[in-house]
């Protein structure tokens, strides 16, 4: 139950943010501006709030994942085993991991109603290429802490990890992935992710 809640919260957090901008502008300014765009889209789209998977996938693919360093995120979650994976295994891991997160967003994004995202002062130097943007999601109940690890990639900012309630997303998946790899190797992990995605797809009908 706790892992499921954390996954939902992490998905909600990741679904709120998009990174695309000139590198000289502060990372938190882009998070503030573009996450607001995503939140507004979700709030205005009844189909997304109703859990329309096709609309969620479209939102994620066009506004979120193009601005995520997904290879770094997947490699970090797989850990040392990533270097042992063949190019085909790496591709399948990225594809299945991405689909897993997208399907998690379907439920998480639908929960966005009246929440607002407030940002804390950025603690970084202008020359820093990796920074943490800290924020809180506020609504009914206690504020939800959300921290984003972002990096400069050419002239853009990209996300490569996030923290919700003191738990970093990559670290959470690294633990569960390690157990699957220990039991069935990299192919076993890929099959496990594929099975979860197929089950989720069937449940959505």
């Amino acid at each position: 139950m706790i892992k499921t809640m954390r996954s939902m919260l992490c998905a909600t957090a990741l679904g709120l943010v998009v990174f695309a901008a000139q590198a000289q502008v502060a990372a938190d300014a882009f998070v503030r501006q573009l996450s607001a765009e995503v939140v507004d889209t979700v709030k205005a789209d009844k189909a997304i709030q109703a859990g329309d998977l096709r609309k969620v996938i479209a939102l994620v693919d066009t506004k979120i994942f193009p601005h995520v360093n997904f290879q770094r995120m997947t490699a970090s979650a797989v850990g040392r085993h990533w270097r042992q994976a063949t190019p085909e295994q790496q591709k399948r891991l990225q594809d299945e991991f991405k689909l897993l997160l997208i399907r998690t967003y379907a439920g998480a994004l639908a929960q966005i109603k009246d929440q607002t995202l407030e940002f804390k002062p950025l603690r970084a130097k202008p020359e820093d290429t990796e920074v943490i943007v800290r924020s809180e999601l506020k609504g009914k109940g206690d504020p939800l802490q959300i921290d984003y690890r972002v990096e400069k990639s050419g002239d853009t900012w990209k996300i490569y990890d996030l923290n919700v309630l003191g738990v970093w997303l990559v670290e959470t998946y690294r633990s569960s992935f390690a157990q699957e790899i220990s039991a069935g190797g990299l192919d076993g992990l890929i099959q496990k992710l594929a099975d979860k995605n197929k089950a989720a797809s069937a449940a959505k009908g």
Side-chain angles (χ1 to χ4, degrees):
M1 180 64 178
I2 294 177
K3 287 186 177 180
T4 299
M5 181 176 295
R6 283 176 175 171
S7 296
M8 294 289 284
L9 293 174
C10 286
T12 302
L14 189 56
L16 293 177
V17 66
V18 179
F19 298 90
Q22 298 298 322
Q24 66 266 25
V25 180
D28 59 339
F30 289 105
V31 178
R32 186 189 307 274
Q33 176 183 345
L34 299 176
S35 62
E37 179 182 341
V38 174
V39 171
D40 288 345
T41 300
V42 172
K43 289 181 177 180
D45 195 319
K46 293 183 179 180
I48 290 180
Q49 294 193 20
D52 187 325
L53 185 58
R54 290 175 299 179
K55 297 294 291 287
V56 174
I57 290 176
L59 176 62
V60 171
D61 281 345
T62 59
K63 293 187 178 294
I64 299 175
F65 275 121
H67 308 293
V68 174
N69 186 339
F70 203 75
Q71 179 174 336
R72 178 174 180 175
M73 180 176 287
T74 307
S76 296
V78 175
R80 61 184 177 83
H81 301 284
W82 179 258
R83 296 189 297 273
Q84 303 168 5
T86 65
E88 175 62 23
Q89 287 176 321
Q90 290 180 351
K91 182 180 184 302
R92 291 191 63 195
L93 282 166
Q94 288 186 74
D95 290 345
E96 295 296 345
F97 191 29
K98 177 179 178 179
L99 186 56
L100 176 66
L101 293 180
I102 287 176
R103 293 192 178 280
T104 304
Y105 301 156
L109 292 180
Q111 297 182 25
I112 298 178
K113 304 298 181 183
D114 301 320
Q115 296 94 328
T116 59
L117 199 58
E118 297 185 5
F119 293 87
K120 298 180 180 180
L122 182 65
R123 297 179 179 177
K125 299 177 181 178
E127 65 271 21
D128 287 345
T129 58
E130 295 189 0
V131 301
I132 297 178
V133 179
R134 304 182 187 278
S135 68
E136 289 183 336
L137 186 65
K138 294 186 175 182
K140 295 181 179 179
D142 295 332
L144 174 64
Q145 174 191 349
I146 305 173
D147 301 331
Y148 309 90
R149 281 179 173 154
V150 298
E151 64 177 3
K152 283 183 180 178
S153 178
D155 61 353
T156 67
W157 286 102
K158 290 194 175 184
I159 186 173
Y160 65 93
D161 201 2
L162 60 92
N163 172 29
V164 179
L165 295 177
V167 178
W168 288 100
L169 176 65
V170 167
E171 293 177 3
T172 299
Y173 277 108
R174 184 183 296 131
S175 177
S176 61
F177 283 5
Q179 293 178 10
E180 296 296 339
I181 293 173
S182 178
L186 287 166
D187 287 333
L189 171 60
I190 293 170
Q191 188 60 52
K192 188 71 172 182
L193 293 174
D195 289 344
K196 287 183 178 180
N197 289 327
K198 288 179 181 179
S201 179
K204 285 289 183 180

